[in-house]
Amino acid sequence: GVTVDAYVLYTNQYYQINGQGSMELPLLGAYIYTITPTSGGGCVVYGTNITLSNGEQIPVQDLKVGMKTLSYDPKTGELITTTVSQIKVLNASYIMVINGNIEVTGLNIQPIFVKFENGSVGWTMIGNLNYTIQLYCHLNNSWVPVTSLKIIFGNFTVYDIVTARQISGGYVYSDYIANGYLLDTKLA
């Protein structure tokens, strides 16, 4: 089954949900501590737009191995090109919806590029998101605050994308842009 434990840091409320359904995480410091999905890894949901190196966006289900995707070099702030090396189609028992338009699974294994409250930038797992964090949006080259987090349980087709490693300045990149936001650091 599915177990979700969430702790709301500023109100000291504790939630535990077992089974099917939907849970709206309270915005104040919502933090997911554990989740045990029945299947799936850190992935994006069917219909998520992936940005290709030419700027075109296509649904993830149309993405093919060998296609060039747009990526981002966090050290230089420049967009770079990566190549899709692997796509796995999986089933997942839950998704997290971030700001109403980013649908992903893998709370403790799906990285997203963020700006923390102290102004530093880097990768964090989606299960660590809270209202003090901002997400990097490639579409308008800006930082967007996290305004909502929602977990939905059900049966979802998800796509685990791995891009070929690109080395720039000693850093290994394996990321891509999904619905305008930078996801993933898994190595090919």
Side-chain angles (χ1 to χ4, degrees):
V2 175
T3 302
V4 177
D5 297 320
Y7 179 72
V8 184
L9 298 177
Y10 298 105
T11 61
N12 292 327
Q13 296 175 358
Y14 183 85
Y15 301 87
Q16 185 171 23
I17 296 180
N18 291 306
Q20 301 296 309
S22 174
M23 176 179 77
E24 185 79 38
L25 295 178
L27 193 53
L28 288 178
Y31 182 80
I32 304 298
Y33 281 109
T34 62
I35 186 162
T36 308
T38 56
S39 61
C43 311
V44 295
V45 177
Y46 179 96
T48 299
N49 285 322
I50 305 299
T51 304
L52 300 179
S53 60
N54 65 5
E56 177 186 358
Q57 293 186 345
I58 65 168
V60 66
Q61 63 271 17
D62 296 340
L63 196 64
K64 307 283 185 244
V65 170
M67 286 181 148
K68 304 290 185 189
T69 57
L70 197 58
S71 186
Y72 180 77
D73 181 337
K75 289 189 177 191
T76 66
E78 295 177 5
L79 295 171
I80 61 173
T81 298
T82 55
T83 304
V84 176
S85 62
Q86 184 179 28
I87 303 169
K88 292 180 186 175
V89 181
L90 304 166
N91 293 313
S93 57
Y94 75 93
I95 60 171
M96 177 180 259
V97 182
I98 306 164
N99 289 356
N101 67 345
I102 308 166
E103 297 178 344
V104 292
T105 188
L107 294 177
N108 297 319
I109 60 173
Q110 178 63 64
I112 188 167
F113 194 67
V114 301
K115 182 186 286 186
F116 298 98
E117 184 176 22
N118 67 5
S120 65
V121 298
W123 295 96
T124 194
M125 298 303 161
I126 62 169
N128 292 334
L129 293 178
N130 63 58
Y131 82 104
T132 67
I133 290 177
Q134 297 177 47
L135 311 175
Y136 175 69
C137 181
H138 140 75
L139 293 177
N140 55 13
N141 193 29
S142 67
W143 292 99
V144 176
V146 172
T147 57
S148 68
L149 300 168
K150 183 176 184 178
I151 294 179
I152 301 172
F153 298 100
N155 294 311
F156 302 94
T157 300
V158 295
Y159 295 77
D160 187 7
I161 302 167
V162 178
T163 57
R165 291 183 254 187
Q166 304 294 319
I167 299 176
S168 174
Y171 187 87
V172 179
Y173 297 90
S174 181
D175 52 41
Y176 58 94
I177 296 171
N179 283 355
Y181 297 90
L182 188 62
L183 294 180
D184 221 306
T185 56
K186 289 192 292 284
L187 297 181

